């Protein structure tokens, strides 16, 4: 069963935002995708600050798709922030970067990224990535309870949002 | 008498020693500055190449999206032009990737250690299955002698030579490649022999230079950077690189490195 929690796409390039959206549509991904266009907004979203204070509207995502070259805060620093907060430690983070710089890849895995993907040249390959994300991360993979929409909030530092109140 | 002379200060000699030390310092400083300038230039090339890929990706994907998602609304002639845009973007992207490989080979930290060439060869064949296909006759005289080298640089150099050995063969001829090693004193020479188009004697120097091409791109695709990558990789491992070839009769490229013991 597909986890219904939203996906957070951290990407400043509008074209790349569009390409991933198109790939997700082609793959049939129905999760809400929230887009933020800099590293600070990604942290604001996750910590429910500023424009993202409403947890009903902006619930904890099950998956973060993270670019590296981001305005304000670099993607690797966003990743460090995520992994240094116990309530987000187990969120699945997939980097989608424009280049596989050896140092970046190694650092990302050292910090604790779950997967490192490189933005492809062609739209067909992008659609393929959309399908892979759906089949592996959203369908085959088990998420931790941090992004379980009806999961037990008590032991966690944050209260998981209740998307389906009354169910 | 001699003792007296040696005790007396010799101003000329002292001046010479000072001048020598000055000269050494100047040369060291200039070498360092040159090295830094080269590194900065390579790092600049890397970031330019890297940043160029993003708009290229955008061009390719939009052309592709128009061709796929609006195929019914676009006349066939226009579709063929979109395919040309995509083809050009793919070609440029492939060239940029090669420049990135070149700068990586130039800049990456090397870890020189004994390396099994048998293992490197099998890794290359796994990564480039077309070298291992029935369309190519590859003979390796195993075991290849181990060498001292850097795993990444050697893999890059070796695989580029193998790729060339398959590429520069007339379409009607089945590529035949032979790989062997030969002990030469403290060194090992790795040979890669092909049955390709060969290189005329007066062109053999040119082929290792950046972006040099002897063949039109319409006949043999590529950017002309492959052999420069090999040269750079070999230079950085303090090795030697050479070619023996005759036009029309194939080529034998070789890399010479210190022998290793595993």
């Amino acid at each position: 069963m597909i986890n219904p929690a939203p996906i957070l796409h951290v990407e400043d390039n509008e074209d790349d935002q569009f390409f991933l959206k198109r790939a997700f549509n082609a793959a049939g991904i129905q999760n809400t995708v929230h887009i933020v266009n800099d590293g600070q907004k990604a942290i604001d979203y996750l910590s429910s600050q500023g424009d993202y204070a409403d947890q009903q509207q902006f619930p904890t995502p099950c998956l973060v798709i993270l670019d590296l070259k981001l305005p304000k805060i670099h993607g690797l620093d966003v990743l460090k922030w995520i992994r240094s907060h116990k309530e987000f430690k187990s969120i699945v983070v997939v980097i989608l970067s424009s280049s596989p710089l050896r140092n970046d890849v190694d650092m990302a895995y050292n910090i604790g990224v779950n997967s490192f993907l490189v933005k492809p040249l062609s739209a067909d390959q992008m659609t393929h990535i959309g399908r892979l994300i759906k089949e592996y991360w959203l369908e085959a993979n088990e998420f931790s309870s941090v992004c379980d929409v009806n999961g037990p909030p008590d032991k966690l530092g944050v209260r998981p949002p209740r998307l389906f109140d009354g169910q | 008498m001699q003792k007296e002379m040696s005790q007396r200060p010799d101003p000329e000699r002292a001046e010479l020693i000072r001048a020598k030390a000055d000269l050494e310092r100047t040369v060291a400083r200039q070498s360092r500055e040159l090295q830094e300038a080269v590194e900065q230039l390579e790092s600049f090339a890397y970031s330019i190449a890297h940043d160029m890929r993003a708009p290229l990706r955008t061009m390719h994907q939009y052309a592709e999206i128009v061709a796929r998602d609006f195929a019914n609304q676009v006349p066939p002639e226009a579709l063929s032009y979109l395919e040309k845009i995509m083809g050009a973007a793919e070609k440029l992207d492939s060239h940029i990737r090669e420049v990135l490989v070149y700068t990586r080979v130039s800049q990456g930290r090397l870890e020189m250690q004994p390396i099994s060439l048998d293992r490197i060869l099998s890794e290359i064949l796994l990564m480039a299955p077309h070298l291992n296909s029935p369309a190519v006759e590859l003979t390796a005289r195993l075991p290849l002698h181990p060498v001292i080298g850097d795993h990444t640089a050697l893999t890059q150099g070796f695989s580029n030579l193998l790729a060339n050995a398959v590429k520069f063969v007339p379409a009607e001829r089945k590529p035949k490649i032979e790989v062997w090693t030969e002990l030469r004193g403290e060194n090992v020479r790795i040979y890669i022999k092909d049955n390709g188009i060969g290189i005329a004697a007066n062109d053999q120097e040119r082929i290792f230079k950046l972006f040099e091409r002897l063949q039109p791109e319409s006949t043999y695709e590529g950017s002309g950077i492959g052999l420069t990558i090999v040269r750079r990789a070999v230079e950085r491992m303090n090795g030697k690189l050479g070619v023996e070839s005759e036009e029309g009769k194939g080529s034998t490229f070789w890399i010479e490195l210190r022998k290793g013991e595993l």
Side-chain angles (χ1 to χ4, degrees):
Chain A
M1 194 195 97
I2 288 186
N3 188 305
I7 296 169
L8 180 64
H9 185 202
V10 191
E11 172 62 74
D12 62 314
N13 183 314
E14 285 181 9
D15 297 317
D16 285 333
Q17 293 170 2
F18 169 71
F19 296 145
L20 189 73
K21 189 177 161 198
R22 181 178 174 274
F24 277 4
N25 285 342
I29 291 179
Q30 304 203 336
N31 302 54
T32 305
V33 179
H34 291 290
I35 299 173
V36 292
N37 57 14
D38 67 51
Q40 183 58 54
K41 283 188 187 144
I43 291 176
D44 288 351
Y45 182 106
L46 290 168
S47 51
S48 305
Q49 299 293 313
D51 293 345
Y52 308 99
D54 182 353
Q55 280 206 13
Q56 292 284 61
Q57 203 187 338
F58 304 108
T60 304
C62 59
L63 177 64
V64 177
I65 307 281
L66 182 64
D67 185 27
L68 286 186
K69 258 184 139 178
L70 289 168
K72 295 189 183 166
I73 299 180
H74 191 271
L76 285 176
D77 292 320
V78 174
L79 180 64
K80 262 184 216 158
W81 184 93
I82 292 173
R83 290 303 183 238
S84 63
H85 286 72
K86 69 172 195 285
E87 59 270 42
F88 303 120
K89 242 185 175 135
S90 53
I91 284 190
V92 172
V93 180
V94 173
I95 285 177
L96 184 58
S97 163
S98 52
S99 101
L101 267 178
R102 214 59 247 164
N103 278 352
D104 287 347
V105 178
D106 289 348
M107 277 178 73
Y109 279 112
N110 283 336
I111 300 168
V113 78
N114 297 88
S115 179
F116 196 114
L117 301 173
V118 177
K119 292 173 188 170
L121 180 68
S122 93
D124 283 349
Q125 290 162 342
M126 196 66 207
T127 306
H128 180 61
I129 283 187
R131 266 191 229 112
L132 290 177
I133 288 176
K134 182 189 181 203
E135 286 168 12
Y136 186 82
W137 289 114
L138 300 177
E139 288 180 351
N141 176 60
E142 287 290 338
F143 289 101
S144 81
S145 57
V146 70
C147 47
D148 188 346
V149 286
N150 292 311
D154 349 310
K155 290 181 188 165
L156 297 166
V158 288
R159 174 188 166 276
R162 292 176 183 277
L163 285 184
F164 307 109
D165 277 344
Q167 278 189 17
Chain B
M1 175 77 181
Q2 249 184 356
K3 203 178 166 192
E4 263 175 48
M5 272 186 74
S6 68
Q7 281 175 343
R8 206 179 307 151
D10 178 348
E12 267 182 33
R13 188 178 147 75
E15 178 60 29
L16 264 180
I17 291 171
R18 244 196 325 274
K20 183 170 174 276
D22 278 351
L23 190 64
E24 278 169 359
R25 265 197 302 275
T26 308
V27 169
R29 197 192 67 236
Q30 284 178 345
S31 307
R32 210 170 41 241
E33 283 171 2
L34 194 63
Q35 182 64 28
E36 278 167 16
V38 168
E39 278 168 18
Q40 275 175 15
L41 202 61
E42 284 175 347
S43 155
F44 178 67
Y46 192 96
S47 60
I48 294 272
H50 177 257
D51 290 347
M52 272 164 66
R53 290 190 75 197
L56 202 54
R57 206 176 52 237
T58 306
M59 281 180 230
H60 189 287
Q61 293 204 31
Y62 279 119
E64 204 180 346
I65 288 168
V66 174
R68 306 270 184 278
D69 297 2
F70 303 92
N72 296 336
Q73 293 154 260
V74 180
E77 193 184 349
L79 275 180
S80 77
Y81 297 150
L82 288 170
E83 294 293 337
K84 282 183 193 293
I85 293 175
M86 288 185 259
E90 280 159 26
K91 198 178 284 181
L92 184 53
D93 188 66
S94 143
H95 291 192
I96 293 173
R97 271 186 285 131
E98 288 185 326
V99 172
L100 290 172
V101 170
Y102 176 74
T103 48
R104 199 169 58 216
V105 165
S106 300
Q107 289 187 310
R109 189 169 296 164
L110 297 194
E111 198 180 324
M112 298 293 281
Q113 57 185 348
I115 287 184
S116 157
L117 284 172
D118 290 355
R119 205 180 127 197
I120 289 215
L121 182 60
S122 60
E123 285 170 358
I124 292 171
L125 295 180
L126 269 179
M127 286 187 291
H130 66 281
L131 290 173
N132 210 5
S133 77
V136 175
E137 195 179 315
L138 174 70
T139 317
R141 293 186 216 157
L142 301 178
L144 302 171
H145 203 288
V147 294
I148 305 275
D150 170 79
H151 188 273
T152 309
L154 189 52
T155 305
Q156 194 68 58
F158 202 175
S159 64
N160 279 19
L161 288 182
L162 287 170
N164 276 0
V166 175
K167 184 159 84 175
F168 292 100
V169 175
E172 68 281 3
R173 204 181 291 168
K174 181 176 182 175
K176 281 188 188 167
I177 314 171
E178 271 181 83
V179 177
W180 73 97
T181 50
E182 182 187 285
L183 264 178
R184 296 169 68 94
E186 286 304 298
N187 294 340
V188 170
R189 199 175 266 196
I190 312 154
Y191 291 92
I192 294 151
K193 183 180 183 206
D194 64 53
N195 63 337
I197 54 175
I199 307 147
N202 51 355
D203 286 330
Q204 289 177 14
E205 273 296 303
R206 271 179 57 201
I207 55 170
F208 297 108
K209 290 185 184 155
L210 195 59
F211 301 127
E212 284 281 353
R213 312 181 43 91
L214 300 179
Q215 300 296 328
E217 202 171 349
S218 51
T219 321
Y220 296 104
E221 271 194 7
S223 57
I225 198 171
L227 280 176
T228 317
I229 292 172
V230 182
R231 195 194 66 196
R232 192 77 178 106
V234 173
E235 274 172 2
R236 289 204 64 208
M237 293 186 288
N238 298 317
K240 284 189 223 159
L241 169 68
V243 61
E244 289 145 21
S245 181
E246 204 178 318
E247 202 165 7
K249 294 192 176 167
S251 307
T252 305
F253 282 86
W254 54 262
I255 294 174
E256 194 172 310
L257 292 166
R258 300 239 334 146
K259 74 174 179 196
E261 297 295 337
L262 288 170

